[in-house]
Amino acid sequence: MQPFTIMIVFNAITYTRQMLQKKLLLPILLFSCFSWGQTQEDDNYIEFNDRSNVVHGVYLGVGTYFGEIDGENTYHGVFKVAYVANRQFEVGFAAVGFYSQQDIRVDAFETLDFAGGYAGLHIEPILFGRSKANLSFPLLVGAGAVVYVEDNNRDVDIDLNRDDWDEVFVVEPGVNFLYNLSRYVQLEVGMRYRFSSKIDLSPDRIKNINGFSAGFGIKVGIFNMGRNRYKKHLGNE
């Protein structure tokens, strides 16, 4: 092979090697810059679960309340199921059953007490929802029925054949103190006042079921589902 030819081949090989080095160098530099930037970003941020970013919850609740109807002792049982929006507002269904010791003497052989139930929409705005203790303002709007029941020596007998029941419409606002035992259990203590439509029953003694009641309850469910993951900056504010 002539010296001139050898020189041309050598120069071609050298040029090709230099071009390959340049083409490989650019991706390496770009990858290095990207990796360095990611490292710097990760050094300035931390990823964690934010328990305050709660969006919804749901629960079942039961309670017992004591109050008065027409000046006589009345006992209430309450059942609720509700959706909780961001620990600030509840909406759901509530049902209340009650028994009132009226001791209405009809004759020498019959004494009447009073009972009934109502159910409907439950809504409850909540203050300080992100704290351990909360304050809320429940409202129940619903309808139901009431009836006189025979109470002969505490042997209760509901005689619906006498046509002595009547429908009733109820609006019941209140105030509750709530305490979160855990993410799944909440206690409530509160009072409420019941407004009702007029009742038309015989004997014509009880005109309505208006009155105060107070008591406590327990809610079991998940009150802070939907935690979001995100990064928080650790640099100087």
Side-chain angles (χ1 to χ4, degrees):
M1 182 178 296
Q2 297 297 325
F4 179 74
T5 304
I6 295 174
M7 183 176 297
I8 292 176
V9 172
F10 177 79
N11 289 336
I13 293 173
T14 302
Y15 176 79
T16 303
R17 185 183 63 183
Q18 291 175 348
M19 292 300 294
L20 288 175
Q21 288 176 345
K22 290 180 180 179
K23 289 182 178 180
L24 291 175
L25 182 60
L26 181 60
I28 293 172
L29 288 175
L30 291 175
F31 179 79
S32 300
C33 291
F34 177 79
S35 300
W36 181 82
Q38 279 296 109
T39 303
Q40 290 298 107
E41 181 180 353
D42 291 340
D43 288 341
N44 293 328
Y45 288 82
I46 183 171
E47 185 175 292
F48 68 104
N49 276 331
D50 178 21
R51 294 180 66 92
S52 67
N53 264 356
V54 178
V55 294
H56 56 274
V58 65
Y59 74 84
L60 295 175
V62 293
T64 180
Y65 284 77
F66 175 79
E68 290 186 351
I69 292 178
D70 199 34
E72 302 297 336
N73 293 339
T74 303
Y75 305 91
H76 305 76
V78 182
F79 170 80
K80 292 187 293 186
V81 55
Y83 165 77
V84 186
N86 203 31
R87 290 189 290 184
Q88 296 178 348
F89 187 81
E90 294 182 8
V91 59
F93 170 82
V96 180
F98 67 86
Y99 187 90
S100 183
Q101 296 177 336
Q102 294 291 320
D103 292 329
I104 301 173
R105 177 68 64 177
V106 177
D107 53 39
F109 304 100
E110 186 178 30
T111 300
L112 297 180
D113 283 340
F114 193 65
Y118 51 92
L121 175 67
H122 162 77
I123 59 176
E124 188 168 352
I126 303 170
L127 300 180
F128 319 113
R130 301 184 187 279
S131 303
K132 194 78 171 176
N134 321 134
L135 186 66
S136 67
F137 301 92
L139 174 67
L140 191 157
V141 179
V146 293
V147 62
Y148 285 108
V149 298
E150 295 183 13
D151 181 7
N152 298 318
N153 296 321
R154 301 306 176 194
D155 184 16
V156 176
D157 180 26
I158 301 177
D159 184 9
L160 295 180
N161 294 326
R162 298 180 354 158
D163 195 27
D164 56 0
W165 68 274
D166 194 18
E167 65 272 7
V168 63
F169 298 92
V170 175
V171 176
E172 191 173 48
V175 57
N176 280 339
F177 173 78
L178 309 175
Y179 185 78
N180 298 286
L181 287 180
S182 71
R183 185 184 175 192
Y184 308 102
V185 180
Q186 186 180 76
L187 298 181
E188 67 175 15
V189 178
M191 62 182 298
R192 56 208 62 203
Y193 189 86
R194 181 176 51 257
F195 299 92
S196 81
S197 58
K198 184 178 179 180
I199 295 172
D200 184 15
L201 286 176
S202 180
D204 188 20
R205 171 173 165 177
I206 298 177
K207 306 297 184 181
N208 54 58
I209 58 172
N210 295 357
F212 280 101
S213 60
F216 64 93
I218 184 170
K219 303 174 183 179
V220 178
I222 301 179
F223 297 94
N224 57 347
M225 295 189 295
R227 292 177 294 172
N228 296 327
R229 299 187 69 92
Y230 73 101
K231 291 184 177 182
K232 181 178 180 181
H233 191 264
L234 295 181
N236 295 329
E237 297 294 335

